[in-house]
């Protein structure tokens, strides 16, 4: 869970004509079962159960994409353990 990550806001470097520019965040990719709650700004994921024969739950790449009202996008990738 990533509380506090805003789902709307004004991007840095925006001009008066851009403000207020609403940003939309979406989960572009992630492990199976991962979800993005646009209302709370939380990424939720319950990884698969780790069984005794599993050496490591692994690394899981997540990509969040932000789009402004003009259609411009930016993405941020990170890894969950």
């Amino acid at each position: 869970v990533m509380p506090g990550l805003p789902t709307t806001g004004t991007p840095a470097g925006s001009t008066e004509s851009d403000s207020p520019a609403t940003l939309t965040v979406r989960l572009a990719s992630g492990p199976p079962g991962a979800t993005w709650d646009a209302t709370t700004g939380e990424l939720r994921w319950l990884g698969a159960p780790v069984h005794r024969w599993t050496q490591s739950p692994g690394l899981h790449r997540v990509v969040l994409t932000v789009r402004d009202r003009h259609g411009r996008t930016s993405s941020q990738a990170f890894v969950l353990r």
Side-chain angles (χ1 to χ4, degrees):
V1 178
M2 298 174 59
L5 186 63
T7 57
T8 61
T10 303
S14 64
T15 64
E16 283 296 318
S17 63
D18 291 332
S19 297
T22 300
L23 302 177
T24 303
V25 180
R26 72 177 184 86
L27 179 63
S29 67
T35 60
W36 174 259
D37 185 327
T39 302
T40 64
E42 294 179 337
L43 173 66
R44 295 178 184 261
W45 178 58
L46 298 175
V50 178
H51 301 287
R52 66 175 178 259
W53 58 85
T54 304
Q55 293 181 354
S56 170
L59 302 177
H60 304 277
R61 188 168 188 263
V62 174
V63 179
L64 295 177
T65 299
V66 179
R67 178 180 300 271
D68 70 12
R69 67 183 174 143
H70 302 289
R72 296 176 291 219
T73 62
S74 182
S75 296
Q76 177 67 49
F78 56 93
V79 175
L80 298 176
R81 293 181 186 209

